[in-house]
Amino acid sequence: MNSPKPVEKLSPKDFASDQEVRWCPGCGDYAILKAMQRMLAEIGAKKENTVFISGIGCASRFPYYMDTYGFHTIHGRGPAIATGVKLANPDLDVWVVTGDGDALSIGGNHLLHVLRRNVNVQILLLNNEIYALTKGQYSPTSRIGTRTPSTPMGSLETPLAAAKFALGSGARFVARTVETQQTHLLDMLRRAHRHGGASFLEIYQNCLVYSDGVFANFTAKEVAGDKQLLVEHGKPLVFGKDRKRGLRMKPGTLELEAVAIGKDGVGEADLLVHDETNLGLAMMLASMDRQTMPVALGVLYCDPAPCYESRIVAQVEEAKSRSTNGDLNSLLRRGHTWIVKDKQAKTDA
Amino acid sequence: MSSSTAVKLASKKNARRELESVVVRFAGDSGDGMQLTGGQFTLATALAGHDLATYADFPAEIRAPKGTSFGVSAFQINFGSHIASTSGDEVDVLVAMNPAALMVELKNLRSGGVVIVDTGSFSERNLLKAGYENDPLADDTLDQYQPIKFDISKLTLQAVKKSGLSKKEAVRCKNMWTLGLVYWMFGRDRQPTIDWLRQKFAAQPQLEEANVAALNAGHALGETAEMSEGFTAYTVQPADVQPGLYRTVTGSEALAWGLMTGAELAGLSFELGSYPITPASTILHILADLKEYGIVTYQAEDEIAAVCFAIGASYAGSMGVTVSSGPGMALKSEAIGLAISAELPLVIVNVQRAGPSTGMPTKTEQSDLYQAVFGRNADSPLAVISARSASDCFEVAIEAIRIATRFMTPVILLADGYIANAAEPWRIPDVDKMPRFPVEFRTDAENFTSFMRDEATLARPWVKPGTPGLEHRIGGLEKDDSGNISYNPANHQRMTEVRAAKIAGIADDVPPQTMAKGKDSGRLAVVGWGSTYGPINHAVSHLRADGLDVSHIHLRYIWPLPRNLGDLLAGFERVLVPEMNNGQLLTLLRSQYLVAAEGLNKVSGQPFKITEIEAAIRERLEIRK
């Protein structure tokens, strides 16, 4: 295996394990793996302090390809296992890599609770809107009408918006990006990593085999400019190839409206300015209909709060400082005890 | 005064009668505080130097409708000179706080036994609710018993008048009044209970005074009523036990403290993941209140998350533990398989209850043995051990952690609802003198692979994430010795065999099976496991005293079974296996040793009675009396 390297700064390659990557050729996961290795090298992460935890699915093979600590666990349970790791050793830098089926179907409960507890882990949800590893069944994020082997006449279920789920669960950091936009992806990985507490990053990821082109209506080069809204804290919500469109509150309502700047008397000053700490705005951005509105990418919400493990540690420390009890022997002797002397002479101790 | 130790009642009035052992059962509405009353009587009895065993028999409903038979909550205590983990076959003194309690519990009272009733609760309405057509205090219902009738409700109200409590609050002190009376009957010291009441109600002085007054009034009545016919005080012989420092302990306490102690002896921090489930939640409560010892408890979102949390903790280098009961164990089984495949230490405590499905959550059974030994997909062996009594839980919990860490394996510890709630006197061990088994984490990168094995134990190395140079990946996919994924057919064959051999090898690391009672060969061996220890041991003792050739073998190690067990069993003409299930250890013994063992099976949610086991033994040995 690998011996410790004397060099201070690691290269992206140092984060690649010796295992052959077994995703399909052209899979979007490759780009995410590369971005991760690059980002960890850039921020000077330590391999030994980095842990990747995953469940089951294509995305969950991720840990095998990283030369860090890694635990490929069982379907949907990555967040629960990551919580155990973080509480046992809060110093570890823990990433959970999951997919739309793993995180939102079988593991929906664990995702909800890791977010609401605000455990200091980074959760990457590689969303391809399909169950790929089990050969192409519809997933909780598949659109209505998706034809798959298990829905030959089309899926009937309302798809789940992952970012809305995360916000509704009480996540303090929710961001979205696209696997093909390396610069943005790297930036989002950095932001997710920097955030103290649970950070949730949804990465739209194309599956060439089972859901090819499912995100094309906002990721294809020809439309990306018009269909993507790259949000930035403190900046107006502007989009469009010529940056001539934007979002405002539709007058007299509590809903967002896409408007053309300079038309119908709308000026840039009428547009909403992005505020990462505004939960209501984040929810509205996460809820925009992909067909009629742009897709908001970037950090939709970031409002840090103390993380779970630090608060647990604080409780333990408080209990220790208040305690007048000593070791285990004193615990076992707490309360009523009595001494049995030889031959039945008994004393209340 | 129980069937086997009957003592003739003395004819002389006013003298305390001498008894070897007594069974007292407190029964009332689930809101009457019978479990608290029993707990206090247990403490006072322990402090008086008796051996004792208790049995909590309570409904699943928190506050069942008042006065109904299904809302009856009972607490039984057997105390005297030699009890050995048996809460007693027949009740000598029954306290019935209302007609429903009398209706449900009278069948447990031996003929000639004492029954204390609160006449104030025998209203027409309550009689009807309990299902009595006639007043049992007026007809022949109690003819074969010694009834002691007081209007306890009224006497309690009089006793606590000064406190200024409302009538509703005041009458709730009647459990303490009754406890005072029973204290007098058995010459108990009231002071520990008075201290407890003063502490419990420190913030509510009215309640404090009222409860103490009720306790004292009940006691005082005993002293004055002694003069009347048929109401006598007793002296029970204290136990002749090993000298030392003692306390009472319940199975739940012993499990919680044993797990903490085991982690300490292994030199590990301790993390508990648990999801509330009857009857295992008590362990979570106890440990959650011991944060000062640096332990982390985590109430997970579900049973699966609870075990996964523990697996994550073990992966990170702590001792991961989870506690549950049967239905929760079913949910955990996939994750336990992961711990088997990834070869991580993990302790899973199953406080068994009656099933299947939700079954009878507050009633005891030992029917999860199949589930523990076999209940996972594929060939997925792990170690299974069991506790036989409340105090035994402490040692068994430590042993579970020792095996888990030494062999890098999950260990299932089987307890049950009976021993989790039962209290016993316990000779407190000195933790400083217990053998340590410190874990050595791998830190050396030289020649390291994650699934290289220790030659003696076949255990793989335990590496804490954070250790430089040992970065590696593990998971639930099949792997080879390097730790890398392998679909190689021969490798899977070999890995399956190695996993089985590792667990089988634990048998070489544990003591050989010894006899719990009797010779190591003969006509009949009675083989038990878990909480049937007390009744089996008593039954075998009694019948050996009668000259029968019968022995008792009691297993702690369920899987792997002790190396010498097959030879031991071969030394007996017949083997009888009493279990609170439909024959699970029986199947195991037959399959492993091709022995013609017979089952004695009871699944009523109640522990075995000594007499039931005695009868089965006599039947096998063809004794006609």
Side-chain angles (χ1 to χ4, degrees):
Chain A
M1 289 299 276
N2 320 281
S3 50
K5 298 217 162 148
V7 284
E8 281 273 310
K9 190 93 176 171
L10 300 173
S11 74
K13 265 192 181 166
D14 293 318
F15 284 94
S17 76
D18 58 359
Q19 295 298 292
E20 194 187 332
V21 183
R22 296 188 188 193
W23 288 313
C24 305
C27 176
D29 289 349
Y30 284 93
I32 300 165
L33 181 65
K34 283 270 177 262
M36 178 62 77
Q37 290 164 351
R38 222 178 110 188
M39 196 278 298
L40 290 177
E42 267 177 30
I43 63 167
K46 284 186 173 166
K47 293 205 291 184
E48 67 269 22
N49 274 345
T50 308
V51 184
F52 282 88
I53 292 171
S54 63
I56 295 294
C58 292
S60 293
R61 295 297 182 96
F62 204 96
Y64 287 114
Y65 310 134
M66 295 295 302
D67 194 24
T68 61
Y69 282 93
F71 196 178
H72 177 227
T73 71
I74 45 177
H75 208 7
R77 321 299 173 200
I81 288 179
T83 303
V85 172
K86 272 307 264 194
L87 264 63
N89 185 356
D91 295 335
L92 295 172
D93 188 17
V94 176
W95 298 79
V96 176
V97 186
T98 181
D100 37 313
D102 193 58
L104 296 171
S105 197
I106 193 167
N109 194 28
H110 309 306
L111 180 62
L112 186 164
H113 290 281
V114 76
L115 292 174
R116 99 181 155 82
R117 289 190 180 108
N118 201 28
V119 182
N120 188 10
V121 296
Q122 297 81 243
I123 300 156
L124 308 183
L125 193 158
L126 279 50
N127 182 6
N128 56 13
E129 297 194 354
I130 206 79
Y131 281 87
L133 199 60
T134 50
K135 297 198 190 306
Q137 300 83 0
Y138 77 113
S139 91
T141 54
S142 298
R143 272 168 280 178
I144 292 175
T146 303
R147 286 176 190 271
T148 73
S150 59
T151 50
M153 294 173 70
S155 152
L156 299 171
E157 299 170 17
T158 304
L160 203 61
K164 270 167 75 178
F165 177 91
L167 289 166
S169 303
R172 315 292 304 204
F173 179 98
V174 176
R176 287 203 294 220
T177 187
V178 179
E179 123 250 341
T180 47
Q181 295 170 211
Q182 276 282 309
T183 315
H184 194 258
L185 170 60
L186 268 168
D187 198 31
M188 290 302 108
L189 290 175
R190 256 182 243 117
R191 284 290 310 268
H193 184 260
R194 206 189 309 149
H195 176 79
S199 41
F200 178 82
L201 174 61
E202 179 185 16
I203 306 173
Y204 294 113
Q205 175 251 322
N206 192 47
C207 173
L208 270 180
V209 179
Y210 294 110
S211 61
D212 191 22
V214 79
F215 304 119
N217 79 328
F218 70 94
T219 59
K221 276 211 177 91
E222 325 72 86
V223 297
D226 283 332
K227 285 295 287 184
Q228 292 184 8
L229 169 65
L230 299 171
V231 302
E232 278 185 77
H233 185 63
K235 298 209 173 144
L237 294 168
V238 175
F239 67 104
K241 264 183 204 144
D242 48 7
R243 313 276 302 157
K244 282 291 183 200
R245 306 188 69 202
L247 295 186
R248 68 165 183 178
M249 293 301 290
K250 191 173 176 181
T253 70
L254 198 63
E255 63 184 84
L256 296 177
E257 183 182 35
V259 291
I261 302 168
K263 245 190 181 178
D264 304 326
V266 176
E268 204 167 317
D270 297 315
L271 300 183
L272 282 166
V273 173
H274 186 47
D275 177 3
E276 283 177 358
T277 65
N278 186 326
L279 180 60
L281 179 60
M283 199 50 127
M284 284 195 274
L285 289 170
S287 308
M288 289 191 297
D289 175 23
R290 227 191 265 171
Q291 304 307 317
T292 58
M293 295 283 278
V295 174
L297 302 174
V299 178
L300 305 185
Y301 185 62
C302 178
D303 188 15
C307 67
Y308 185 64
E309 58 270 32
S310 67
R311 299 172 68 205
I312 292 243
V313 169
Q315 274 197 345
V316 168
E317 291 310 316
E318 190 194 333
K320 278 182 183 170
S321 69
R322 277 201 312 226
S323 165
T324 49
N325 299 296
D327 55 3
L328 281 174
N329 267 334
S330 67
L331 168 66
L332 302 184
R333 285 156 181 77
R334 230 190 252 180
H336 281 285
T337 58
W338 67 96
I339 292 166
V340 176
K341 291 185 183 146
D342 280 328
K343 277 293 142 200
Q344 316 234 341
K346 292 177 181 70
T347 338
D348 196 351
Chain B
M1 212 152 110
S2 64
S3 61
S4 55
T5 55
V7 170
K8 280 191 180 158
L9 291 174
S11 58
K12 201 178 139 217
K13 268 198 244 171
N14 301 340
R16 285 193 175 260
R17 289 169 186 171
E18 286 261 340
L19 303 169
E20 262 183 48
S21 74
V22 176
V23 177
V24 179
R25 191 165 169 106
F26 298 92
D29 248 345
S30 51
D32 276 346
M34 290 297 99
Q35 303 300 324
L36 279 181
T37 308
Q40 285 303 305
F41 189 76
T42 301
L43 178 64
T45 301
L47 291 174
H50 295 287
D51 193 4
L52 64 89
T54 70
Y55 172 41
D57 192 3
F58 52 90
E61 292 78 14
I62 302 300
R63 293 272 191 281
K66 273 187 86 163
T68 56
S69 57
F70 56 87
V72 172
S73 174
F75 184 97
Q76 183 165 318
I77 174 169
N78 181 10
F79 61 96
S81 53
H82 174 64
I83 303 302
S85 309
T86 320
S87 58
D89 275 16
E90 285 188 312
V91 175
D92 299 304
V93 177
L94 173 67
V95 176
M97 299 302 286
N98 65 7
L102 189 68
M103 175 60 111
V104 173
E105 299 291 346
L106 195 61
K107 63 177 186 301
N108 295 315
L109 186 63
R110 69 168 173 82
S111 182
V114 173
V115 53
I116 301 171
V117 291
D118 173 16
T119 56
S121 69
F122 280 63
S123 65
E124 208 167 310
R125 190 155 167 268
N126 280 348
L127 289 171
L128 215 65
K129 268 201 260 184
Y132 278 116
E133 285 176 11
N134 303 307
D135 183 356
L137 305 184
D139 65 14
D140 60 356
T141 307
L142 300 180
D143 279 4
Q144 55 170 317
Y145 309 104
Q146 301 179 56
I148 296 178
K149 303 175 200 171
F150 289 118
D151 189 340
I152 296 176
S153 302
K154 193 169 146 200
L155 289 164
T156 302
L157 285 176
Q158 285 169 2
V160 307
K161 215 179 207 164
K162 275 205 300 195
S163 68
L165 287 178
S166 71
K167 192 182 167 194
K168 195 181 163 195
E169 283 175 310
V171 83
R172 291 188 64 186
C173 299
K174 70 179 183 174
N175 63 333
M176 284 301 123
W177 191 98
T178 312
L179 183 62
L181 179 67
V182 180
Y183 274 177
W184 173 80
M185 282 180 80
F186 295 101
R188 293 283 172 268
D189 182 4
R190 275 165 291 161
Q191 198 55 46
T193 297
I194 292 171
D195 293 345
W196 173 76
L197 288 168
R198 297 218 184 280
Q199 199 193 349
K200 183 178 166 72
F201 295 116
Q204 297 147 290
Q206 273 186 315
L207 287 177
E208 177 191 327
E209 283 316 315
N211 276 287
V212 172
L215 183 78
N216 288 335
H219 193 270
L221 190 122
E223 282 175 337
T224 46
E226 191 181 356
M227 308 305 288
S228 67
E229 188 70 30
F231 189 50
T232 321
Y234 305 94
T235 301
V236 183
Q237 294 174 8
D240 186 11
V241 294
Q242 232 188 324
L245 181 67
Y246 281 78
R247 65 170 305 138
T248 60
V249 73
T250 65
S252 294
E253 287 168 338
L255 282 168
W257 299 338
L259 291 166
M260 284 173 71
T261 305
E264 161 104 0
L265 295 174
L268 298 173
S269 57
F270 178 92
E271 315 257 335
L272 174 80
S274 177
Y275 184 75
I277 186 169
T278 302
S281 308
T282 316
I283 302 169
L284 168 63
H285 303 166
I286 293 168
L287 288 168
D289 201 27
L290 294 174
K291 290 192 174 56
E292 65 204 74
Y293 292 90
I295 62 174
V296 169
T297 59
Y298 176 74
Q299 182 179 314
E301 57 269 27
D302 60 28
E303 293 282 359
I304 299 170
V307 65
C308 284
F309 171 87
I311 291 171
S314 286
Y315 171 68
S318 286
M319 187 61 240
V321 175
T322 185
V323 298
S324 189
S325 190
M329 293 296 290
L331 287 165
K332 291 180 196 296
S333 58
E334 186 200 12
I336 295 171
L338 173 67
I340 291 169
S341 176
E343 302 194 33
L344 285 168
L346 172 70
V347 171
I348 309 126
V349 177
N350 178 355
V351 185
Q352 298 165 97
R353 64 192 220 185
S357 186
T358 309
M360 301 194 287
T362 59
K363 305 297 173 190
T364 195
E365 210 163 273
Q366 45 181 186
S367 48
D368 296 344
L369 183 145
Y370 285 164
Q371 184 192 42
V373 178
F374 303 118
R376 288 164 298 281
N377 59 306
D379 288 309
S380 37
L382 49 63
V384 182
I385 62 175
S386 62
R388 70 184 192 187
S389 68
S391 56
D392 190 44
C393 286
F394 184 78
E395 244 181 72
V396 173
I398 294 170
E399 179 68 346
I401 289 181
R402 188 191 71 83
I403 293 173
T405 52
R406 181 163 162 77
F407 290 87
M408 292 292 282
T409 179
V411 177
I412 292 179
L413 192 170
L414 294 175
D416 64 36
Y418 171 59
I419 54 179
N421 289 312
E424 293 189 321
W426 180 43
R427 194 162 160 264
I428 307 171
D430 183 349
V431 175
D432 295 337
K433 288 186 181 146
M434 300 180 85
R436 296 187 164 263
F437 41 88
V439 166
E440 281 181 38
F441 289 98
R442 173 95 184 191
T443 53
D444 182 7
E446 184 98 25
N447 297 324
F448 166 79
T449 68
S450 54
F451 278 76
M452 64 197 295
R453 292 182 188 278
D454 180 89
E455 275 179 29
T457 62
L458 298 178
R460 76 175 189 90
W462 194 1
V463 180
K464 273 188 190 179
T467 310
L470 294 183
E471 296 84 5
H472 66 278
R473 276 63 56 194
I474 60 169
L477 286 169
E478 186 61 288
K479 68 284 291 172
D480 59 23
D481 293 344
S482 72
N484 292 324
I485 302 169
S486 170
Y487 283 83
N488 179 299
N491 177 67
H492 180 54
Q493 177 88 34
R494 194 178 56 83
M495 288 297 280
T496 301
E497 285 163 8
V498 169
R499 284 187 287 262
K502 181 177 87 166
I503 299 305
I506 295 170
D508 296 321
D509 198 60
V510 302
Q513 184 62 46
T514 55
M515 305 302 296
K517 188 69 79 182
K519 295 182 299 168
D520 59 6
S521 65
R523 288 193 61 200
L524 178 67
V526 184
V527 184
W529 66 283
S531 71
T532 53
Y533 172 80
I536 296 177
N537 204 258
H538 272 271
V540 170
S541 296
H542 296 161
L543 297 181
R544 287 185 61 78
D546 281 2
L548 268 61
D549 182 6
V550 55
S551 299
H552 178 196
I553 296 171
H554 211 78
L555 302 180
R556 170 179 286 182
Y557 300 95
I558 306 293
W559 198 261
L561 288 160
R563 280 273 184 257
N564 62 332
L565 184 61
D567 289 343
L568 262 185
L569 296 181
F572 290 90
E573 288 170 32
R574 297 181 77 166
V575 175
L576 177 67
V577 186
E579 290 181 271
M580 295 187 290
N581 63 42
N582 228 356
Q584 301 193 5
L585 178 65
L586 182 70
T587 308
L588 204 63
L589 295 180
R590 284 180 176 186
S591 70
Q592 294 302 300
Y593 304 115
L594 299 177
V595 63
E598 304 162 73
L600 173 64
N601 306 102
K602 180 174 182 180
V603 281
S604 62
Q606 307 287 326
F608 272 108
K609 291 186 171 178
I610 298 165
T611 49
E612 291 166 343
I613 294 170
E614 283 176 355
I617 294 171
R618 283 188 189 280
E619 202 180 298
R620 266 64 180 190
L621 295 179
E622 294 164 345
I623 299 294
R624 284 171 201 91
K625 272 201 167 178

